[in-house]
Amino acid sequence: MFTVGDTVFYSSNGVCVIEDIQERTFWGEKKLYYILRSTHNEALKLYYPVETAQSQLTEIVSKKKAELILEQFKNPPDPWNERMQERQHSYQKILKSNNHIQIAKMVNTILRRKIELESQEKKLSSGDQQLLNQVLPILYKELAVSLDISVEVVIKEVEQLIQNH
């Protein structure tokens, strides 16, 4: 069980702080809920049940794990699937897995594809760009919190790793 003040990772909502734990009634059922505040969007207040079969709340990755995640940006991209629907389906499965290493590999592949296309004066598909817009702020924020650095430093680090490898 988490406590008030803990920083947690909440699936697609990213890094959140537990502001309170309260009993609330939703859909006619009274339960104990974590009251979460998103660090990505401070106006966003979330309620998450304290007791649930498969919690989507996890601890923030450790500094060591964050460093392993960053290492993924040194690797060449995974093979690009030209079939957009298959690619998007595969990416959604990766996101649902909450596996930070796999998410970083996916982001690495998409970012490298974007750079390749831009060198040919082309653009990434809107679906792939939308996915980056959704995932990057969350990934960068968690890495920043875990490594105790700013998001801007994380962004520069990722850009340098991709450029140098």
PDB file of all heavy atoms in Angstrom, residues 140-164:
ATOM      1  N   TYR A 140       9.754  10.751 -20.300  1.00  0.00           N
ATOM      2  CA  TYR A 140      10.770  11.722 -19.899  1.00  0.00           C
ATOM      3  C   TYR A 140      10.586  12.162 -18.447  1.00  0.00           C
ATOM      4  O   TYR A 140      11.554  12.313 -17.709  1.00  0.00           O
ATOM      5  CB  TYR A 140      10.748  12.940 -20.818  1.00  0.00           C
ATOM      6  CG  TYR A 140      11.264  12.685 -22.225  1.00  0.00           C
ATOM      7  CD1 TYR A 140      10.976  13.577 -23.244  1.00  0.00           C
ATOM      8  CD2 TYR A 140      12.041  11.584 -22.538  1.00  0.00           C
ATOM      9  CE1 TYR A 140      11.445  13.380 -24.540  1.00  0.00           C
ATOM     10  CE2 TYR A 140      12.507  11.380 -23.824  1.00  0.00           C
ATOM     11  CZ  TYR A 140      12.215  12.278 -24.821  1.00  0.00           C
ATOM     12  OH  TYR A 140      12.687  12.080 -26.087  1.00  0.00           O
ATOM     13  N   LYS A 141       9.344  12.350 -18.029  1.00  0.00           N
ATOM     14  CA  LYS A 141       9.084  12.789 -16.652  1.00  0.00           C
ATOM     15  C   LYS A 141       9.504  11.714 -15.652  1.00  0.00           C
ATOM     16  O   LYS A 141      10.135  12.009 -14.633  1.00  0.00           O
ATOM     17  CB  LYS A 141       7.603  13.141 -16.484  1.00  0.00           C
ATOM     18  CG  LYS A 141       7.233  13.589 -15.095  1.00  0.00           C
ATOM     19  CD  LYS A 141       7.884  14.913 -14.734  1.00  0.00           C
ATOM     20  CE  LYS A 141       7.408  15.398 -13.385  1.00  0.00           C
ATOM     21  NZ  LYS A 141       7.910  16.722 -13.061  1.00  0.00           N
ATOM     22  N   GLU A 142       9.166  10.470 -15.937  1.00  0.00           N
ATOM     23  CA  GLU A 142       9.552   9.400 -15.007  1.00  0.00           C
ATOM     24  C   GLU A 142      11.067   9.262 -14.927  1.00  0.00           C
ATOM     25  O   GLU A 142      11.632   9.108 -13.844  1.00  0.00           O
ATOM     26  CB  GLU A 142       8.919   8.061 -15.377  1.00  0.00           C
ATOM     27  CG  GLU A 142       9.235   7.008 -14.322  1.00  0.00           C
ATOM     28  CD  GLU A 142       8.474   5.716 -14.461  1.00  0.00           C
ATOM     29  OE1 GLU A 142       7.922   5.437 -15.538  1.00  0.00           O
ATOM     30  OE2 GLU A 142       8.450   4.962 -13.466  1.00  0.00           O
ATOM     31  N   LEU A 143      11.742   9.342 -16.071  1.00  0.00           N
ATOM     32  CA  LEU A 143      13.207   9.272 -16.057  1.00  0.00           C
ATOM     33  C   LEU A 143      13.792  10.439 -15.278  1.00  0.00           C
ATOM     34  O   LEU A 143      14.740  10.266 -14.504  1.00  0.00           O
ATOM     35  CB  LEU A 143      13.754   9.246 -17.487  1.00  0.00           C
ATOM     36  CG  LEU A 143      13.462   7.968 -18.283  1.00  0.00           C
ATOM     37  CD1 LEU A 143      13.908   8.130 -19.735  1.00  0.00           C
ATOM     38  CD2 LEU A 143      14.131   6.761 -17.644  1.00  0.00           C
ATOM     39  N   ALA A 144      13.226  11.622 -15.460  1.00  0.00           N
ATOM     40  CA  ALA A 144      13.721  12.804 -14.747  1.00  0.00           C
ATOM     41  C   ALA A 144      13.579  12.632 -13.238  1.00  0.00           C
ATOM     42  O   ALA A 144      14.512  12.921 -12.476  1.00  0.00           O
ATOM     43  CB  ALA A 144      12.975  14.053 -15.216  1.00  0.00           C
ATOM     44  N   VAL A 145      12.423  12.145 -12.796  1.00  0.00           N
ATOM     45  CA  VAL A 145      12.199  11.926 -11.363  1.00  0.00           C
ATOM     46  C   VAL A 145      13.166  10.865 -10.839  1.00  0.00           C
ATOM     47  O   VAL A 145      13.800  11.043  -9.799  1.00  0.00           O
ATOM     48  CB  VAL A 145      10.724  11.528 -11.091  1.00  0.00           C
ATOM     49  CG1 VAL A 145      10.539  11.046  -9.660  1.00  0.00           C
ATOM     50  CG2 VAL A 145       9.801  12.705 -11.384  1.00  0.00           C
ATOM     51  N   SER A 146      13.308   9.761 -11.558  1.00  0.00           N
ATOM     52  CA  SER A 146      14.173   8.661 -11.121  1.00  0.00           C
ATOM     53  C   SER A 146      15.643   9.055 -11.075  1.00  0.00           C
ATOM     54  O   SER A 146      16.389   8.600 -10.200  1.00  0.00           O
ATOM     55  CB  SER A 146      14.006   7.458 -12.046  1.00  0.00           C
ATOM     56  OG  SER A 146      12.684   6.982 -11.997  1.00  0.00           O
ATOM     57  N   LEU A 147      16.066   9.876 -12.028  1.00  0.00           N
ATOM     58  CA  LEU A 147      17.477  10.268 -12.114  1.00  0.00           C
ATOM     59  C   LEU A 147      17.762  11.578 -11.386  1.00  0.00           C
ATOM     60  O   LEU A 147      18.904  12.025 -11.347  1.00  0.00           O
ATOM     61  CB  LEU A 147      17.887  10.381 -13.588  1.00  0.00           C
ATOM     62  CG  LEU A 147      17.817   9.076 -14.384  1.00  0.00           C
ATOM     63  CD1 LEU A 147      17.956   9.345 -15.871  1.00  0.00           C
ATOM     64  CD2 LEU A 147      18.881   8.096 -13.901  1.00  0.00           C
ATOM     65  N   ASP A 148      16.720  12.207 -10.862  1.00  0.00           N
ATOM     66  CA  ASP A 148      16.821  13.478 -10.144  1.00  0.00           C
ATOM     67  C   ASP A 148      17.469  14.558 -11.013  1.00  0.00           C
ATOM     68  O   ASP A 148      18.413  15.244 -10.604  1.00  0.00           O
ATOM     69  CB  ASP A 148      17.589  13.300  -8.823  1.00  0.00           C
ATOM     70  CG  ASP A 148      17.390  14.476  -7.881  1.00  0.00           C
ATOM     71  OD1 ASP A 148      16.352  15.161  -7.995  1.00  0.00           O
ATOM     72  OD2 ASP A 148      18.288  14.739  -7.054  1.00  0.00           O
ATOM     73  N   ILE A 149      16.946  14.658 -12.240  1.00  0.00           N
ATOM     74  CA  ILE A 149      17.389  15.687 -13.183  1.00  0.00           C
ATOM     75  C   ILE A 149      16.146  16.295 -13.832  1.00  0.00           C
ATOM     76  O   ILE A 149      15.042  15.785 -13.647  1.00  0.00           O
ATOM     77  CB  ILE A 149      18.347  15.118 -14.267  1.00  0.00           C
ATOM     78  CG1 ILE A 149      17.694  13.969 -15.048  1.00  0.00           C
ATOM     79  CG2 ILE A 149      19.671  14.680 -13.653  1.00  0.00           C
ATOM     80  CD1 ILE A 149      18.538  13.382 -16.165  1.00  0.00           C
ATOM     81  N   SER A 150      16.325  17.336 -14.597  1.00  0.00           N
ATOM     82  CA  SER A 150      15.170  17.965 -15.245  1.00  0.00           C
ATOM     83  C   SER A 150      14.764  17.188 -16.501  1.00  0.00           C
ATOM     84  O   SER A 150      15.565  16.444 -17.078  1.00  0.00           O
ATOM     85  CB  SER A 150      15.500  19.410 -15.625  1.00  0.00           C
ATOM     86  OG  SER A 150      16.418  19.426 -16.699  1.00  0.00           O
ATOM     87  N   VAL A 151      13.532  17.396 -16.904  1.00  0.00           N
ATOM     88  CA  VAL A 151      13.033  16.783 -18.132  1.00  0.00           C
ATOM     89  C   VAL A 151      13.873  17.260 -19.321  1.00  0.00           C
ATOM     90  O   VAL A 151      14.180  16.478 -20.224  1.00  0.00           O
ATOM     91  CB  VAL A 151      11.535  17.114 -18.338  1.00  0.00           C
ATOM     92  CG1 VAL A 151      11.063  16.701 -19.725  1.00  0.00           C
ATOM     93  CG2 VAL A 151      10.690  16.453 -17.269  1.00  0.00           C
ATOM     94  N   GLU A 152      14.273  18.529 -19.304  1.00  0.00           N
ATOM     95  CA  GLU A 152      15.079  19.078 -20.396  1.00  0.00           C
ATOM     96  C   GLU A 152      16.402  18.319 -20.540  1.00  0.00           C
ATOM     97  O   GLU A 152      16.854  18.055 -21.654  1.00  0.00           O
ATOM     98  CB  GLU A 152      15.349  20.568 -20.178  1.00  0.00           C
ATOM     99  CG  GLU A 152      14.114  21.451 -20.306  1.00  0.00           C
ATOM    100  CD  GLU A 152      13.158  21.387 -19.111  1.00  0.00           C
ATOM    101  OE1 GLU A 152      13.572  20.964 -17.997  1.00  0.00           O
ATOM    102  OE2 GLU A 152      11.978  21.746 -19.295  1.00  0.00           O
ATOM    103  N   VAL A 153      17.013  17.969 -19.419  1.00  0.00           N
ATOM    104  CA  VAL A 153      18.279  17.214 -19.454  1.00  0.00           C
ATOM    105  C   VAL A 153      18.028  15.812 -20.019  1.00  0.00           C
ATOM    106  O   VAL A 153      18.828  15.309 -20.800  1.00  0.00           O
ATOM    107  CB  VAL A 153      18.937  17.158 -18.048  1.00  0.00           C
ATOM    108  CG1 VAL A 153      20.117  16.206 -18.029  1.00  0.00           C
ATOM    109  CG2 VAL A 153      19.361  18.554 -17.603  1.00  0.00           C
ATOM    110  N   VAL A 154      16.915  15.197 -19.645  1.00  0.00           N
ATOM    111  CA  VAL A 154      16.576  13.875 -20.183  1.00  0.00           C
ATOM    112  C   VAL A 154      16.410  13.956 -21.699  1.00  0.00           C
ATOM    113  O   VAL A 154      16.931  13.116 -22.443  1.00  0.00           O
ATOM    114  CB  VAL A 154      15.296  13.304 -19.526  1.00  0.00           C
ATOM    115  CG1 VAL A 154      14.836  12.036 -20.233  1.00  0.00           C
ATOM    116  CG2 VAL A 154      15.515  13.049 -18.045  1.00  0.00           C
ATOM    117  N   ILE A 155      15.690  14.964 -22.166  1.00  0.00           N
ATOM    118  CA  ILE A 155      15.470  15.126 -23.610  1.00  0.00           C
ATOM    119  C   ILE A 155      16.802  15.258 -24.341  1.00  0.00           C
ATOM    120  O   ILE A 155      17.033  14.593 -25.362  1.00  0.00           O
ATOM    121  CB  ILE A 155      14.563  16.350 -23.895  1.00  0.00           C
ATOM    122  CG1 ILE A 155      13.145  16.091 -23.373  1.00  0.00           C
ATOM    123  CG2 ILE A 155      14.542  16.698 -25.380  1.00  0.00           C
ATOM    124  CD1 ILE A 155      12.248  17.311 -23.347  1.00  0.00           C
ATOM    125  N   LYS A 156      17.693  16.091 -23.826  1.00  0.00           N
ATOM    126  CA  LYS A 156      19.012  16.273 -24.458  1.00  0.00           C
ATOM    127  C   LYS A 156      19.814  14.983 -24.444  1.00  0.00           C
ATOM    128  O   LYS A 156      20.490  14.654 -25.428  1.00  0.00           O
ATOM    129  CB  LYS A 156      19.786  17.395 -23.757  1.00  0.00           C
ATOM    130  CG  LYS A 156      19.249  18.764 -24.076  1.00  0.00           C
ATOM    131  CD  LYS A 156      20.031  19.846 -23.357  1.00  0.00           C
ATOM    132  CE  LYS A 156      19.392  21.213 -23.627  1.00  0.00           C
ATOM    133  NZ  LYS A 156      19.983  22.282 -22.868  1.00  0.00           N
ATOM    134  N   GLU A 157      19.733  14.247 -23.347  1.00  0.00           N
ATOM    135  CA  GLU A 157      20.451  12.974 -23.239  1.00  0.00           C
ATOM    136  C   GLU A 157      19.960  11.975 -24.289  1.00  0.00           C
ATOM    137  O   GLU A 157      20.748  11.334 -24.966  1.00  0.00           O
ATOM    138  CB  GLU A 157      20.284  12.398 -21.829  1.00  0.00           C
ATOM    139  CG  GLU A 157      20.987  11.083 -21.607  1.00  0.00           C
ATOM    140  CD  GLU A 157      22.499  11.177 -21.546  1.00  0.00           C
ATOM    141  OE1 GLU A 157      23.032  12.263 -21.285  1.00  0.00           O
ATOM    142  OE2 GLU A 157      23.148  10.128 -21.761  1.00  0.00           O
ATOM    143  N   VAL A 158      18.646  11.862 -24.429  1.00  0.00           N
ATOM    144  CA  VAL A 158      18.074  10.945 -25.422  1.00  0.00           C
ATOM    145  C   VAL A 158      18.493  11.369 -26.827  1.00  0.00           C
ATOM    146  O   VAL A 158      18.917  10.539 -27.641  1.00  0.00           O
ATOM    147  CB  VAL A 158      16.533  10.871 -25.291  1.00  0.00           C
ATOM    148  CG1 VAL A 158      15.902  10.167 -26.499  1.00  0.00           C
ATOM    149  CG2 VAL A 158      16.136  10.168 -23.994  1.00  0.00           C
ATOM    150  N   GLU A 159      18.411  12.654 -27.118  1.00  0.00           N
ATOM    151  CA  GLU A 159      18.808  13.146 -28.441  1.00  0.00           C
ATOM    152  C   GLU A 159      20.275  12.839 -28.723  1.00  0.00           C
ATOM    153  O   GLU A 159      20.623  12.420 -29.834  1.00  0.00           O
ATOM    154  CB  GLU A 159      18.556  14.653 -28.544  1.00  0.00           C
ATOM    155  CG  GLU A 159      17.080  15.001 -28.646  1.00  0.00           C
ATOM    156  CD  GLU A 159      16.798  16.499 -28.542  1.00  0.00           C
ATOM    157  OE1 GLU A 159      17.740  17.297 -28.267  1.00  0.00           O
ATOM    158  OE2 GLU A 159      15.624  16.888 -28.721  1.00  0.00           O
ATOM    159  N   GLN A 160      21.130  13.034 -27.730  1.00  0.00           N
ATOM    160  CA  GLN A 160      22.563  12.753 -27.915  1.00  0.00           C
ATOM    161  C   GLN A 160      22.825  11.270 -28.116  1.00  0.00           C
ATOM    162  O   GLN A 160      23.633  10.892 -28.945  1.00  0.00           O
ATOM    163  CB  GLN A 160      23.378  13.269 -26.725  1.00  0.00           C
ATOM    164  CG  GLN A 160      23.578  14.755 -26.735  1.00  0.00           C
ATOM    165  CD  GLN A 160      24.430  15.232 -25.560  1.00  0.00           C
ATOM    166  OE1 GLN A 160      24.430  14.614 -24.491  1.00  0.00           O
ATOM    167  NE2 GLN A 160      25.124  16.326 -25.744  1.00  0.00           N
ATOM    168  N   LEU A 161      22.149  10.431 -27.353  1.00  0.00           N
ATOM    169  CA  LEU A 161      22.337   8.985 -27.485  1.00  0.00           C
ATOM    170  C   LEU A 161      21.942   8.528 -28.887  1.00  0.00           C
ATOM    171  O   LEU A 161      22.646   7.730 -29.504  1.00  0.00           O
ATOM    172  CB  LEU A 161      21.539   8.240 -26.421  1.00  0.00           C
ATOM    173  CG  LEU A 161      22.063   8.345 -24.998  1.00  0.00           C
ATOM    174  CD1 LEU A 161      21.051   7.773 -24.004  1.00  0.00           C
ATOM    175  CD2 LEU A 161      23.410   7.638 -24.859  1.00  0.00           C
ATOM    176  N   ILE A 162      20.824   9.025 -29.376  1.00  0.00           N
ATOM    177  CA  ILE A 162      20.372   8.639 -30.720  1.00  0.00           C
ATOM    178  C   ILE A 162      21.356   9.157 -31.765  1.00  0.00           C
ATOM    179  O   ILE A 162      21.731   8.438 -32.688  1.00  0.00           O
ATOM    180  CB  ILE A 162      18.942   9.142 -30.984  1.00  0.00           C
ATOM    181  CG1 ILE A 162      17.946   8.322 -30.154  1.00  0.00           C
ATOM    182  CG2 ILE A 162      18.598   9.068 -32.477  1.00  0.00           C
ATOM    183  CD1 ILE A 162      16.527   8.793 -30.229  1.00  0.00           C
ATOM    184  N   GLN A 163      21.789  10.398 -31.611  1.00  0.00           N
ATOM    185  CA  GLN A 163      22.692  11.003 -32.580  1.00  0.00           C
ATOM    186  C   GLN A 163      24.053  10.293 -32.601  1.00  0.00           C
ATOM    187  O   GLN A 163      24.640  10.112 -33.669  1.00  0.00           O
ATOM    188  CB  GLN A 163      22.881  12.476 -32.239  1.00  0.00           C
ATOM    189  CG  GLN A 163      23.651  13.257 -33.283  1.00  0.00           C
ATOM    190  CD  GLN A 163      23.713  14.736 -32.922  1.00  0.00           C
ATOM    191  OE1 GLN A 163      23.697  15.107 -31.757  1.00  0.00           O
ATOM    192  NE2 GLN A 163      23.766  15.566 -33.948  1.00  0.00           N
ATOM    193  N   ASN A 164      24.541   9.898 -31.445  1.00  0.00           N
ATOM    194  CA  ASN A 164      25.883   9.284 -31.351  1.00  0.00           C
ATOM    195  C   ASN A 164      25.900   7.793 -31.671  1.00  0.00           C
ATOM    196  O   ASN A 164      26.971   7.205 -31.772  1.00  0.00           O
ATOM    197  CB  ASN A 164      26.468   9.509 -29.962  1.00  0.00           C
ATOM    198  CG  ASN A 164      26.741  10.977 -29.707  1.00  0.00           C
ATOM    199  OD1 ASN A 164      26.883  11.783 -30.625  1.00  0.00           O
ATOM    200  ND2 ASN A 164      26.802  11.339 -28.431  1.00  0.00           N
TER     201      ASN A 164
END
